[in-house]
Amino acid sequence: MNRFRMAVPIVALALMLTACPAGNTSTTQNPSASAGGTGGGNSGATIEVTSLWGGAEADAFQAVLDAFTAKTGIKVTYTSVRTDYSTVLSNRIEQQDSPDVAIIPGIGFLRSFAADGKLVALKDLGIEDAALHDAYLPNLADMGTNVGTVDGTAYAVMVKLNSKSTIWYDPSRFTANNWQIPTDWDGLVALTDQIKSAGKVPFGLGAGDSWTLTDWFESIYLRNSGEDAYDKLFSKDGDWTDQSVKDAIKMMQDILTNENVAGGLDGALATAFVDGIGLVFSANPTAEMYYEGGFVGGIATGDVNTDLKVGETIDFFDFPEINGSGAKITIGGDVMAALTNNPGVGEFMKYLASGEAGKVWVAGKTIISPMNGVTADDYPDATKKEATQIVNSDLARFDGSDLLPGGPDLGAVLQQALQDPSGVDQSLSDFQTQVTDAWNT
């Protein structure tokens, strides 16, 4: 099986542009940078690490950097690039101004950077394949090792993941209105109609960030068409003009209507991801449900409304089954790779691939860690339920849009589908041409 189309019965992870709102580019010095630490000969070295994480996600990652500096004495400068991250990173690499370590914005970029000799192999940083395999939880080890591997060489460490099969809501409002949690698609449609009949708006939707629509599509497509069709669609053999694709888009169009989303479709298409969360969880909400990944909980409680109480005023239910599909889930995840082998880089990559780093990271309430040594007891209540969902799922698949080669924009196709349903056939035909060309190159 192609290493970029892996499937595991318990869980599988994706490379994705994780949930971060558009914003500014900023650079901050690690507050612990002056710590003496207990590191080896590279104590006092300085490395730069960059990602697209901002807000609560950046705070959680900063805690990992602080712990690393305290342990090793190696200073870390963290650069958060929250707008056009992939473009900024690619430009820096081409200008020979690479950060030392970076989150890689998708499997396509990982393939490309590795093929162009832009990444440092993990073995050259002192991380052998066997050690990398052992760094992951046993049920994630094969997949975790392979996900950062290109042509037999491991370049990246899978550092974090989240479920993409969580629909967020306010339990207190559901109880007050006697709304029941749905278990299948028909139940979700019925709940949507019930909420609308009560004079309320069913969904917040941050479709201005188009990747949110790809998650809707992937969750529907996996459950409606099955894992074999999903695997094929997001490979070079995929046919984007197939009726199964049109069926999934039609299901999106049927539930994400002007009446069902806050601000109507025009408003939703102008709303950023985090602002969409606020439509449901701000102090003055205007919608009742928000579909997105497990990271919503940390962002909602950390950035949107600090008065939220997990289990009382914010919780999630599983994205429902479709036609008896079972507990299938989609997963999003991130990998980090080294672009230099400067002093301190090897130590940092080894630290990322450790349960010690994982324990620090999960305390920030925004991620699930794949690292061996991180247990359920290490998770705060905000993410413990999500971790359990991932481990107990019947079947999981990578975030599909991140399996595609860079260039073609599935999210833009889906934005257009909501704006102009009559143009779907032509949009998919054009997208098929773009995807075919991208795979070939």
Side-chain angles (χ1 to χ4, degrees), residues 125-330:
L125 297 169
I127 305 176
E128 299 295 334
D129 289 350
L132 181 64
H133 188 276
D134 292 344
Y136 297 114
L137 290 166
N139 64 316
L140 306 181
D142 290 341
M143 174 270 306
T145 302
N146 289 334
V147 77
T149 297
V150 180
D151 293 334
T153 299
Y155 290 97
V157 176
M158 184 179 63
V159 292
K160 64 189 281 289
L161 64 143
N162 285 106
S163 168
K164 288 298 204 66
S165 295
T166 52
I167 297 179
W168 294 84
Y169 72 106
D170 181 337
S172 68
R173 301 204 305 257
F174 267 51
T175 298
N177 289 279
N178 198 30
W179 295 331
Q180 303 301 312
I181 301 301
T183 58
D184 58 22
W185 183 259
D186 289 343
L188 181 62
V189 171
L191 173 62
T192 300
D193 291 340
Q194 186 180 12
I195 292 172
K196 188 166 51 177
S197 296
K200 302 180 186 298
V201 180
F203 289 101
L205 181 63
D209 289 320
S210 65
W211 58 264
T212 63
L213 295 179
T214 70
D215 289 341
W216 269 98
F217 173 81
E218 290 150 10
S219 285
I220 292 172
Y221 192 87
L222 175 63
R223 291 162 177 80
N224 196 51
S225 298
E227 57 270 25
D228 292 340
Y230 186 96
D231 292 342
K232 180 178 180 181
L233 183 63
F234 292 105
S235 76
K236 63 178 58 179
D237 298 323
D239 179 4
W240 288 90
T241 66
D242 189 78
Q243 186 61 43
S244 63
V245 176
K246 299 173 186 178
D247 290 344
I249 292 177
K250 182 63 166 58
M251 293 176 72
M252 287 181 61
Q253 292 168 330
D254 286 346
I255 199 166
L256 299 179
T257 65
N258 269 312
E259 297 77 18
N260 288 347
V261 300
L265 288 175
D266 286 343
L269 289 165
T271 300
F273 161 70
V274 174
D275 293 334
I277 297 175
L279 294 172
V280 179
F281 293 110
S282 70
N284 298 295
T286 58
E288 302 301 330
M289 295 180 288
Y290 193 81
Y291 163 64
E292 249 315 322
F295 39 75
V296 166
I299 295 171
T301 57
D303 297 334
V304 174
N305 185 352
T306 57
D307 292 331
L308 292 169
K309 303 295 184 185
V310 176
E312 298 178 15
T313 55
I314 182 170
D315 204 344
F316 73 81
F317 58 85
D318 294 355
F319 197 99
E321 299 182 16
I322 299 176
N323 299 326
S325 58
K328 293 182 171 69
I329 65 172
T330 51

Side-chain angles (χ1 to χ4, degrees), residues 1-6 111 221 227-240 399-405 431-432 435-436 438-440:
M1 180 176 291
N2 186 302
R3 66 175 59 90
F4 301 112
R5 295 169 53 212
M6 291 175 294
R111 297 174 187 138
Y221 192 87
E227 57 270 25
D228 292 340
Y230 186 96
D231 292 342
K232 180 178 180 181
L233 183 63
F234 292 105
S235 76
K236 63 178 58 179
D237 298 323
D239 179 4
W240 288 90
D399 179 290
S401 60
D402 292 324
L403 296 175
L404 295 173
F431 186 67
Q432 179 65 57
V435 171
T436 299
W439 277 116
N440 288 339

Side-chain angles (χ1 to χ4, degrees), residues 80-150:
S80 176
V81 182
R82 303 182 74 182
T83 301
D84 296 328
Y85 173 77
S86 58
T87 300
V88 173
L89 179 61
S90 296
N91 287 343
R92 288 194 61 180
I93 292 172
E94 290 305 313
Q95 295 164 8
Q96 299 184 341
D97 181 35
S98 300
D100 294 292
V101 177
I103 177 183
I104 303 300
I107 290 178
F109 283 95
L110 179 72
R111 297 174 187 138
S112 178
F113 291 161
D116 291 343
K118 305 300 185 183
L119 304 180
V120 180
L122 293 181
K123 65 182 179 182
D124 293 335
L125 297 169
I127 305 176
E128 299 295 334
D129 289 350
L132 181 64
H133 188 276
D134 292 344
Y136 297 114
L137 290 166
N139 64 316
L140 306 181
D142 290 341
M143 174 270 306
T145 302
N146 289 334
V147 77
T149 297
V150 180

Side-chain angles (χ1 to χ4, degrees), residues 342-363:
N342 290 332
V345 172
E347 288 92 331
F348 183 71
M349 295 299 292
K350 290 176 183 176
Y351 184 71
L352 288 179
S354 71
E356 181 180 356
K359 287 175 182 287
V360 174
W361 210 333
V362 301

